Amino acid sequence: MNDRHPKPEELFDFPCDHVFKAMGPNTDLFVFEVRRAVSGILPVSQDAVKVRPSGKGNYVSVSVVVRVHNFDQVTGIYDALRQIDDLKYLL
């Protein structure tokens, strides 16, 4: 039996498409901040961003799909997303 746990970077097969999902208030500013955080690391096409409001419309889920080429890009994007003031949840 192999007790070795894979390193996080070993779970990816680079290059690959990866979805970053951030939840926060349903405002244009929040959507803009999410897009800006990701595009600070990698280019984001217009159709790569999907916005879905919550049931009551108070919150929004912003999904951004980008092609990542290494683990530093993945961690860089997550670090940038964590800097968003109104971020409630991050996947």
Side-chain angles (χ1 to χ4, degrees), residues 12-77:
F12 292 85
D13 187 18
F14 295 108
C16 64
D17 290 341
H18 188 71
V19 179
F20 296 89
K21 187 175 284 196
M23 290 111 189
N26 189 357
T27 64
D28 290 339
L29 179 60
F30 180 74
V31 176
F32 172 79
E33 293 283 336
V34 170
R35 182 184 181 88
R36 183 172 70 172
V38 177
S39 66
I41 307 296
L42 290 170
V44 176
S45 67
Q46 193 65 27
D47 62 339
V49 180
K50 304 290 184 220
V51 179
R52 183 172 173 224
S54 65
K56 293 184 180 180
N58 297 328
Y59 296 95
V60 68
S61 168
V62 183
S63 299
V64 183
V65 180
V66 290
R67 177 151 298 253
V68 292
H69 297 274
N70 57 60
F71 194 66
D72 288 340
Q73 291 174 333
V74 174
T75 58
I77 291 171

Side-chain angles (χ1 to χ4, degrees), residues 1-19:
M1 179 187 238
N2 186 354
D3 290 332
R4 180 176 116 39
H5 295 283
K7 296 176 183 177
E9 57 270 21
E10 293 175 340
L11 299 174
F12 292 85
D13 187 18
F14 295 108
C16 64
D17 290 341
H18 188 71
V19 179

